[in-house]
């Protein structure tokens, strides 16, 4: 787990909404506190679709939800707080596993690889995480995931002023 405090909050939120760097992530959950509270469970209701088998992911993409986030926070005043969990897609997790030779790590062993983004009007903190479905003493894969997520978020931070 890596904790990153974001200094330029407004710029980061703008990038989160308008840039495509987070578009491949999945929204697991989002809570926003403005004049009212909004809670969004990102789990897809497959029965909504004509062909449920065409839905490959468990959660909705951030790309499809970021406009809703914008609509809830837009205005002169930033929200009182928000929390969101953005996770890697199944495809990206499979790619991470394939890119390194980790004995004993299988796709079915991984619960989620995600960012927890927490804003409370005072600060914005991004925490990386890798949760496994199985217990293992081998911490190589979770550490690799943290480094991968840290590089990805650093790309966002470093392009804030462009």
């Amino acid at each position: 787990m890596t904790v990153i405090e974001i200094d330029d909050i407004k710029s980061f939120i703008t990038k989160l909404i308008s840039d495509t760097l987070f578009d491949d992530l999945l929204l697991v959950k989002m809570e926003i506190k403005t004049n009212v509270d909004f809670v969004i469970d990102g789990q897809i209701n497959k029965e909504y679709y004509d062909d449920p088998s065409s839905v490959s992911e468990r959660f909705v993409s951030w790309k499809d939800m970021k406009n809703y986030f914008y609509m809830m926070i837009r205005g002169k005043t930033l929200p009182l707080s928000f929390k969101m969990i953005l996770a890697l897609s199944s495809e990206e997790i499979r790619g991470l596993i394939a890119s390194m030779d980790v004995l004993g790590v299988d796709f079915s062993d991984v619960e989620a690889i995600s960012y927890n983004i927490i804003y409370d009007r005072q600060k914005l903190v991004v925490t990386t995480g890798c949760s496994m479905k199985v217990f293992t003493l081998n911490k190589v894969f979770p550490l690799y995931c943290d480094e991968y997520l840290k590089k990805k978020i650093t790309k966002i931070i470093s392009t804030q002023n462009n």
Side-chain angles (χ1 to χ4, degrees):
M1 177 173 75
T2 302
V3 178
I4 303 164
E5 189 165 341
I6 306 299
D7 294 324
D8 190 348
I9 296 170
K10 189 172 182 177
S11 179
F12 182 85
I13 293 171
T14 299
K15 288 285 184 182
L16 188 64
I17 296 166
S18 62
D19 208 302
T20 59
L21 294 170
F22 279 138
D23 283 1
D24 58 338
L25 297 173
L26 306 175
L27 177 65
V28 176
K29 185 171 186 173
M30 180 167 51
E31 299 173 10
I32 304 168
K33 186 177 284 292
T34 60
N35 61 326
V36 297
D37 293 344
F38 299 95
V39 178
I40 296 175
D41 178 354
Q43 189 162 333
I44 294 174
N45 297 316
K46 291 186 178 186
E47 62 274 6
Y48 174 81
Y49 297 93
D50 293 333
D51 181 12
S53 64
S54 68
V55 180
S56 61
E57 291 289 354
R58 182 175 168 199
F59 298 101
V60 67
S61 73
W62 175 247
K63 181 180 180 179
D64 292 340
M65 295 303 294
K66 65 184 179 180
N67 287 331
Y68 293 104
F69 176 67
Y70 172 71
M71 288 188 304
M72 289 181 265
I73 69 163
R74 73 178 179 199
K76 294 179 183 177
T77 307
L78 284 173
L80 297 171
S81 65
F82 67 79
K83 300 176 188 176
M84 66 176 69
I85 301 169
L86 296 174
L88 299 185
S89 67
S90 299
E91 181 181 329
E92 197 165 0
I93 293 171
R94 288 180 200 277
L96 272 177
I97 292 170
S99 71
M100 63 178 301
D101 188 21
V102 182
L103 297 175
V105 175
D106 188 69
F107 174 75
S108 63
D109 297 339
V110 180
E111 179 68 36
I113 300 171
S114 59
Y115 293 108
N116 293 303
I117 302 171
I118 301 172
Y119 167 75
D120 69 0
R121 269 205 165 172
Q122 304 299 318
K123 63 182 176 180
L124 190 145
V125 176
V126 178
T127 307
T128 63
C130 175
S131 57
M132 304 293 287
K133 294 179 185 175
V134 296
F135 176 77
T136 178
L137 292 175
N138 185 349
K139 301 301 178 199
V140 173
F141 184 69
L143 290 172
Y144 179 76
C145 292
D146 275 343
E147 281 304 310
Y148 178 82
L149 292 173
K150 187 177 171 183
K151 285 179 187 174
K152 197 169 180 155
I153 198 78
T154 301
K155 185 176 180 182
I156 298 275
I157 296 167
S158 67
T159 61
Q160 283 185 356
N161 298 320
N162 295 341

